[in-house]
Amino acid sequence: MDFKNINLGIFGHIDHGKTTLSKVLTEIASTSAHDKLPESQKRGITIDIGFSAFKLENYRITLVDAPGHADLIRAVVSAADIIDLALIVVDAKEGPKTQTGEHMLILDHFNIPIIVVITKSDNAGTEEIKRTEMIMKSILQSTQNLKNSSIIPISAKTGFGVEELKNLIINTLNNAEIIRNTESYFKMPLDHAFPIKGAGTVVTGTINKGIVKVGDELKVLPINMSTKVRSIQCFKESVMEAKAGDRVGMAIQGVESKQIYRGCILTSKDTKLQTVDKIVAKIKISDIFKYNLTPKMKVHLNVGMLIVPAVAVPFKKVTFGKSEENVILNEVISGNECYCAFELEEKVLAEVGDRVLITRLDLPPTTLRICGHGLIEEFKPINDLNIKKEVLREGKVKIDKGRTVIDGLAQSKVAADKLIGEEISIDGKDVVGKIKGTFGTKGLLTAEFSGTVENRDKVILNRLRRWG
C-alpha cells in the first residue's frame, strides 16, 4: 500500500494524558518518544518533542508529543510548525487550563485543524464530562479557524473511545486539504543529531519542503558545512528518497553530531534561507491578548525551530503626498494588524514568507502569553526603515470681515512661511485643504479647502518627523 505521511501533534496541559494517549496509539517508537530522554524521566515531564508512529488505513502518522508545562512553551511552538492535525488533550475532571488555551491559540493562528480529546473519562462523572465539553465548545467558538472542531471523550486506560478517535482522525484527514511543497528547494529543520557506530552522524527531522535522495550534496546552516546523504530511513524502513511532510532519519557525512544543535537546518545548495537578526513582518495581535504592543517592547519571536528574545517596533504604512512613509505606532491593541520590525538577540535562519509567532514569556504562566503572529516581509534593520512619527498641530479657522485665515499653526511669519504647501484637514468634517500663503506678520495663514469651513473650525496639521 502507498502510505501518505501525516504529522499529528498532541497538545495540552501537563498531566492531562498526552503521553498516555501517545503510548496507546503508537506502533513504532522513535526519537525521544514517550519521555525516553533521561532528563524527562528524572523530572517526570516531557521536556522535548517526542516522535513515534502508527498506521491508519492509508495514512502513516507521525505522532508529535509536545510538552505541556508552562515553562516549556518554546518546544510547543516548535512542534506546531510541523504538524497537519492536532489533538488537544483535556482532563475530563480538571477541564482546560491556561496552557490549554495557549496551545489552542497557537494552532488557531497557524490554521492547523484540531480534535479535542477529553481524556481520563473513566475518572470523571457524566456531569463533569458534559461540563468540560461545554467549556471546550465555548472556547472553540471564540477562535477564528477551529469553530467546527470535533470533541470526543476517551479513556486511554480502559480503551473507551480509542477506536472512535482513530476513525475520527481518518475522517478528519480525508476531509483536510494537505498540500506538500515538493517543487521548492530542500529544507529540513534538525531536532536531533547523534553518532551511530558504522553509520556516522545521524540527524532527524521533518521535511518542510522539497525532495531529498541518497547521494545528494547538501549543507547544514547556520554552521555552513557541506555534507552528503549516505542513507535515509523513514521509521525503521530504508528508502532511497523522501519528500516534504516525511519524518526521516538520515546518515550524513562530513559533519560531526556535536557540531549540530537545535536551530540548524539541513538544506540544498540552492536554498533561499538567510542567517538574520533583523526581521520585518506583517503581523496581527491576538483578539484575546490583554496587553498592547508598544515601540521597543521586549518580546520573544518564534522563527522555525527557535524562539529568541527580540525588540519590537510596530509601524504603519501611510501615503503622504506622492510618497509612502513608515509611521510609528505608539500602541497596537488586540485584534489590530500592522507591520513590525524586530531586532533579535540571536541570529536565526529564515526566508521571506516564513511564519512568526510573537510571545510575551516575561508574563506569568497563568496569563495568556501569545501576543500575535505574522509573515516575514523582508530583512532590514530598523534604522534603514526610516520610520517617522506624526506630529499633530492644531489651529482654528478665523473668519473676519469676509476674510478666511488660519490662526494658531504658526507663531510668526517666519514659521508660517515654512508651512506653505502643507496639507491640512478640518476636524470632524470630510474637508481637506492646502496652505497657500501667509497673512500679516503674526503667523496667520491662508488656505484653499475642498469644502465649506466655518468660523472656529478646528484645523489639523499632520507633519512627519524622524522617529527614534
Side-chain angles (χ1 to χ4, degrees):
M1 182 183 290
D2 186 21
F3 287 97
K4 185 170 184 179
N5 287 339
I6 295 296
N7 297 296
L8 173 67
I10 299 187
F11 293 84
H13 193 71
I14 186 171
D15 290 335
H16 275 209
K18 297 185 305 299
T19 303
T20 305
L21 176 57
S22 175
K23 286 179 180 177
V24 170
L25 294 174
T26 295
E27 295 169 355
I28 304 171
S30 185
T31 317
S32 303
H34 310 148
D35 299 344
K36 285 195 306 183
L37 289 178
E39 192 178 349
S40 283
Q41 294 175 350
K42 183 174 69 176
R43 293 173 60 184
I45 57 173
T46 310
I47 61 146
D48 204 345
I49 305 168
F51 295 92
S52 51
F54 63 100
K55 294 174 182 175
L56 286 179
E57 293 189 352
N58 63 321
Y59 296 109
R60 179 165 53 189
I61 297 175
T62 300
L63 208 56
V64 184
D65 182 8
H69 194 276
D71 294 337
L72 301 173
I73 194 171
R74 292 168 176 81
V76 175
V77 175
S78 299
D81 201 35
I82 58 171
I83 59 177
D84 306 301
L85 173 65
L87 306 180
I88 289 285
V89 173
V90 187
D91 187 302
K93 186 180 284 286
E94 287 194 12
K97 301 294 184 182
T98 302
Q99 277 68 58
T100 314
E102 286 190 332
H103 298 172
M104 290 180 70
L105 191 55
I106 293 168
L107 296 164
D108 187 30
H109 283 335
F110 289 175
N111 197 16
I112 296 171
I114 72 166
I115 297 171
V116 175
V117 183
I118 298 178
T119 57
K120 305 183 184 182
S121 61
D122 59 300
N123 194 40
T126 303
E127 290 304 313
E128 289 175 313
I129 295 171
K130 284 183 178 179
R131 183 200 66 207
T132 299
E133 283 185 2
M134 291 300 295
I135 294 171
M136 292 308 297
K137 283 179 181 177
S138 176
I139 294 173
L140 288 170
Q141 286 306 306
S142 70
T143 66
Q144 296 289 316
N145 304 301
L146 309 178
K147 297 183 192 299
N148 298 319
S149 301
S150 300
I151 301 176
I152 182 171
I154 71 154
S155 168
K157 183 178 178 181
T158 67
F160 167 74
V162 173
E163 287 305 312
E164 289 82 356
L165 173 60
K166 289 180 178 179
N167 291 331
L168 188 53
I169 290 170
I170 292 169
N171 291 335
T172 305
L173 292 174
N174 286 342
N175 292 316
E177 185 181 8
I178 298 169
I179 300 171
R180 304 296 192 210
N181 183 359
T182 57
E183 302 300 319
S184 182
Y185 70 89
F186 176 74
K187 175 186 176 186
M188 185 175 93
L190 303 179
D191 46 62
H192 296 88
F194 41 87
I196 290 187
K197 195 171 182 179
T201 297
V202 172
V203 295
T204 63
T206 302
I207 302 172
N208 279 12
K209 60 175 76 176
I211 297 174
V212 65
K213 298 178 181 179
V214 173
D216 280 357
E217 294 185 355
L218 306 172
K219 58 184 178 180
V220 181
L221 296 177
I223 60 177
N224 204 28
M225 295 189 69
S226 297
T227 187
K228 189 173 182 178
V229 180
R230 297 179 63 181
S231 64
I232 306 171
Q233 279 200 348
C234 191
F235 282 95
K236 313 298 183 184
E237 296 178 14
S238 293
V239 294
M240 293 304 294
E241 73 171 43
K243 60 183 183 299
D246 292 352
R247 169 79 188 165
V248 298
M250 280 191 231
I252 59 174
Q253 64 186 44
V255 184
E256 293 185 24
S257 60
K258 62 184 178 182
Q259 295 175 292
I260 297 170
Y261 51 89
R262 179 69 57 83
C264 286
I265 293 178
L266 188 63
T267 186
S268 50
K269 293 187 175 180
D270 62 343
T271 185
K272 293 180 182 177
L273 289 168
Q274 300 181 51
T275 304
V276 298
D277 57 8
K278 308 286 191 297
I279 288 175
V280 179
K282 191 171 185 180
I283 67 167
K284 183 185 180 194
I285 304 301
S286 169
D287 291 333
I288 55 176
F289 187 65
K290 291 183 178 180
Y291 303 88
N292 297 338
L293 184 67
T294 57
K296 297 189 177 180
M297 176 176 281
K298 290 193 174 182
V299 299
H300 282 80
L301 192 70
N302 172 244
V303 187
M305 295 291 282
L306 291 179
I307 184 163
V308 298
V311 172
V313 176
F315 65 93
K316 62 182 177 179
K317 294 182 180 290
V318 178
T319 301
F320 267 80
K322 295 182 179 180
S323 64
E324 186 177 65
E325 302 283 357
N326 297 325
V327 178
I328 195 72
L329 289 168
N330 291 322
E331 64 175 5
V332 187
I333 63 173
S334 60
N336 280 8
E337 295 184 26
C338 68
Y339 293 88
C340 194
F342 298 95
E343 290 199 341
L344 285 63
E345 289 187 11
E346 304 168 24
K347 290 186 181 296
V348 298
L349 290 166
E351 66 172 302
V352 171
D354 277 356
R355 296 184 297 187
V356 296
L357 190 79
I358 310 157
T359 55
R360 286 280 309 279
L361 299 183
D362 57 309
L363 298 172
T366 52
T367 303
L368 195 67
R369 297 168 297 172
I370 309 301
C371 178
H373 65 108
L375 296 174
I376 295 176
E377 295 252 322
E378 59 180 334
F379 306 111
K380 188 178 283 188
I382 291 173
N383 288 341
D384 290 355
L385 291 169
N386 193 25
I387 295 176
K388 307 287 182 63
K389 63 179 178 180
E390 292 180 293
V391 179
L392 296 179
R393 198 177 292 180
E394 294 183 5
K396 62 182 178 181
V397 173
K398 196 172 183 180
I399 301 175
D400 185 24
K401 298 178 181 179
R403 183 188 297 115
T404 301
V405 295
I406 301 165
D407 187 17
L409 292 181
Q411 302 306 312
S412 67
K413 186 177 186 307
V414 173
D417 283 333
K418 295 178 181 178
L419 299 181
I420 294 173
E422 295 281 358
E423 294 185 353
I424 52 179
S425 61
I426 300 298
D427 187 41
K429 292 184 176 180
D430 188 20
V431 176
V432 295
K434 179 174 283 190
I435 297 173
K436 305 301 289 184
T438 63
F439 181 80
T441 59
K442 296 184 179 180
L444 296 178
L445 294 155
T446 60
E448 287 184 358
F449 291 97
S450 63
T452 303
V453 296
E454 300 175 31
N455 196 37
R456 304 190 68 79
D457 274 350
K458 186 187 292 185
V459 179
I460 306 294
L461 170 63
N462 189 356
R463 305 184 79 193
L464 294 183
R465 293 287 184 266
R466 186 167 180 83
W467 172 84

